[in-house]
Amino acid sequence: MTKDTSNQMWGGRFAAGPDAIMEAINASIGYDQRMAAQDIAGSRAHAAMLAKSGIITDSDAKAIREGLLTVLSEIEGGRFEFSTALEDIHMNVEARLKALIGEPAGRLHTGRSRNDQVATDFKLWVRDQLDAAMGGVRALMQALLTQAEAGADWVMPGFTHLQTAQPVTWGHHMMAYVEMFGRDLSRFEDARKRMNESPLGAAALAGTSFPIDRHMTAEALGFDRPAANSLDAVSDRDFALEFLAASSICAMHLSRFAEELVIWSSAQFRFVTLSDRFSTGSSIMPQKKNPDAAELIRAKIGRIFGANTALLMVMKGLPLAYSKDMQEDKEQVFDAADNLMLALAAMEGMVKDMTANRESLEAAAGSGFSTATDLADWLVRALNMPFRDAHHVTGSLVAMAESRSCDLPDLTLEDMQSVHAAITADVFEVLGVHNSVASRVSFGGTAPEQVRAQVARWKGVVG
Ligand code: ARG
């Protein structure tokens, strides 16, 4: 970074340059240089529009547009010297343009302000992140669908309170996450639609007296339309908040799944084996294979929640329109976006590589009296017993099995009849876990046929 003594962009009113501390607190170039490509795209669209509207000459517009491409290639090639004294990416680019092309550079800022400029740059940047997040979520959903299809009829315990509840299928469990990530996908899509209005040309806050064409710049930058209120256009950060809010929910889903993978890969569960590619070892304990990627996903998502809260805090006290507080919007969003993309990619990699241990899942599925509800339902169906009574009879049978340290199917018919005389041998059919899951054919239930129907439906969406 170089240091200039006075500011070329607004120095006219000032007798002295800023204090070093002022410069340090004011500068955003250290991070907003990430928006260089967006800043240059916005300026190129603005210059073309100024010429088309007769506000600057065609030859000035040509010099500006070509000069900006040179600046971009210098930045992308790492040959650009960023200056803290020039505060931010907007003024760094414009100053360099001036050095390259001279006087026409000074005409670029006609009919705009850094307030609409930064809002435009940041929107374009966030829009790219929304697209990237949607790509990452889709890829993860595809990996989950592959797992679900392979194990549509593999049985495992379903839990409530992390206590064995009823048997479910592996495919059903994978598809629960497909539903969650499907909602995340639709939240990102929805946010993208709502945010896609151009702030450019709102100028400082009130619009401009120059005959600009905001529809033209909106279209050139891929926006659906210009934002309809100039005050709102420069002071709106909803688009970044919606990105963070949708990212936070998605991150929460990633974290829940990461938590399950940590539990499932433990020696006590052995439900899944994570690949070596997504695990690490211990420097002292040779037997260890740790689910670090899952743990780091679980931990890193905290940054995304933090960014969401931080930006809400920045915004909540601001009167209209722009305040410099809003410069504090970017770092949080950059960090959240980086970590969301990393977490999505790591989860996709883990899911793709992960092996479900079918035997362990099946052995666990039958333990913990997981078919007790099936037994109670049988009593209702076969003996026309009120469900509350059936629940009570089943409870007595569970207590009996527990006292003998066996599972429900290990009880004899005589044992059963000692609790309720009318029970017949047919009952044993519903005590097996495969029959249990196959019977749950209600829409959205765990039966393999229901799971396969949902896999087919989602393949049509993200396949
Ligand atoms: N660097 C500033 C930001 O990120 C650009 C806008 C500055 N506008 C102003 N009126 N000082 O918000």
Side-chain angles (χ1 to χ4, degrees), residues 144 147-148 169-178 257 264 354:
L144 287 163
Q147 286 283 355
T169 49
W170 171 257
H172 198 50
H173 202 114
M174 294 298 108
M175 291 308 290
Y177 282 101
V178 168
F257 195 24
W264 290 354
M354 144 181 108

Side-chain angles (χ1 to χ4, degrees), residues 6-26:
S6 71
N7 191 295
Q8 302 169 40
M9 301 300 157
W10 41 257
R13 184 207 190 289
F14 286 73
D19 189 272
I21 301 293
M22 178 60 209
E23 198 174 288
I25 197 173
N26 200 31

Side-chain angles (χ1 to χ4, degrees), residues 28 32 88 90 114-115 118 322 324 327 330:
S28 55
D32 69 13
D88 56 25
H90 324 297
R114 272 189 298 155
N115 297 350
V118 72
Y322 177 86
K324 196 62 172 261
Q327 180 166 284
K330 284 174 269 313

Side-chain angles (χ1 to χ4, degrees), residues 84-408:
T84 312
L86 289 167
E87 268 188 57
D88 56 25
I89 185 63
H90 324 297
M91 297 209 287
N92 270 267
V93 168
E94 197 182 316
R96 179 66 188 139
L97 183 67
K98 180 132 192 270
L100 285 171
I101 68 166
E103 197 241 53
R107 301 186 187 278
L108 169 61
H109 213 51
T110 316
R112 80 169 184 190
S113 145
R114 272 189 298 155
N115 297 350
D116 57 336
Q117 190 178 355
V118 72
T120 304
D121 294 2
F122 196 30
K123 260 197 175 179
L124 292 172
W125 196 89
V126 170
R127 195 175 69 186
D128 285 348
Q129 299 306 308
L130 284 166
D131 290 339
M134 288 187 262
V137 170
R138 272 198 203 93
L140 173 55
M141 289 173 77
Q142 284 159 8
L144 287 163
L145 284 168
T146 303
Q147 286 283 355
E149 194 165 34
D153 58 1
W154 301 354
V155 288
M156 67 180 283
F159 299 93
T160 59
H161 315 266
L162 199 54
Q163 308 286 323
T164 300
Q166 294 174 351
V168 296
T169 49
W170 171 257
H172 198 50
H173 202 114
M174 294 298 108
M175 291 308 290
Y177 282 101
V178 168
E179 291 291 331
M180 291 177 238
F181 292 120
R183 288 193 296 275
D184 292 325
L185 191 59
S186 85
R187 266 183 285 273
F188 287 129
E189 280 165 359
D190 188 49
R192 194 191 193 287
K193 270 186 220 138
R194 195 170 17 259
M195 66 96 78
N196 205 27
E197 295 185 341
S198 172
L200 193 58
L205 74 166
T208 174
S209 57
F210 291 101
I212 61 170
D213 181 353
R214 293 191 57 211
H215 293 272
M216 182 179 163
T217 46
E219 196 186 327
L221 296 170
F223 288 111
D224 295 328
R225 63 193 80 85
N229 182 300
S230 60
L231 283 168
D232 175 52
V234 295
S235 68
D236 163 37
R237 292 294 181 272
D238 292 5
F239 62 92
L241 286 165
E242 283 200 47
F243 170 66
L244 292 175
S247 296
S248 294
I249 298 175
C250 179
M252 175 271 290
H253 294 148
L254 286 168
S255 184
R256 291 184 75 176
F257 195 24
E259 168 72 1
E260 296 210 297
L261 294 180
V262 170
I263 295 171
W264 290 354
S265 61
S266 68
Q268 289 69 26
F269 272 74
R270 290 185 197 280
F271 283 7
V272 298
T273 306
L274 300 176
S275 72
D276 290 355
R277 301 192 324 141
F278 284 94
S279 308
T280 60
S282 157
S283 53
I284 177 168
M285 298 166 282
Q287 87 284 10
K288 292 275 277 190
K289 189 167 144 189
N290 296 325
D292 291 35
E295 294 167 271
L296 286 165
I297 290 171
R298 195 172 57 183
K300 275 179 188 289
I301 59 91
R303 293 165 176 249
I304 300 172
F305 299 172
N308 191 22
T309 304
L311 185 52
L312 284 168
M313 294 301 283
V314 166
M315 296 306 294
K316 77 177 185 60
L318 301 185
L320 299 188
Y322 177 86
S323 296
K324 196 62 172 261
D325 309 51
M326 290 164 74
Q327 180 166 284
E328 285 292 307
D329 56 2
K330 284 174 269 313
E331 269 180 299
Q332 301 284 346
V333 175
F334 292 166
D335 186 70
D338 290 345
N339 283 291
L340 178 70
M341 303 315 154
L342 196 55
L344 282 168
M347 188 58 94
E348 184 208 343
M350 271 195 299
V351 173
K352 262 189 182 157
D353 279 17
M354 144 181 108
T355 311
N357 301 327
R358 197 174 170 178
E359 291 74 31
S360 309
L361 289 168
E362 181 155 349
S367 68
F369 315 110
S370 65
T371 52
T373 314
D374 299 85
L375 172 53
D377 287 351
W378 183 87
L379 295 170
V380 170
R381 263 198 316 273
L383 307 184
N384 196 28
M385 206 181 271
F387 183 79
R388 285 291 155 222
D389 297 347
H391 187 286
H392 194 79
V393 169
T394 306
S396 306
L397 288 166
V398 166
M400 178 186 280
E402 194 169 37
S403 73
R404 296 188 193 163
S405 303
C406 71
D407 285 321
L408 283 172

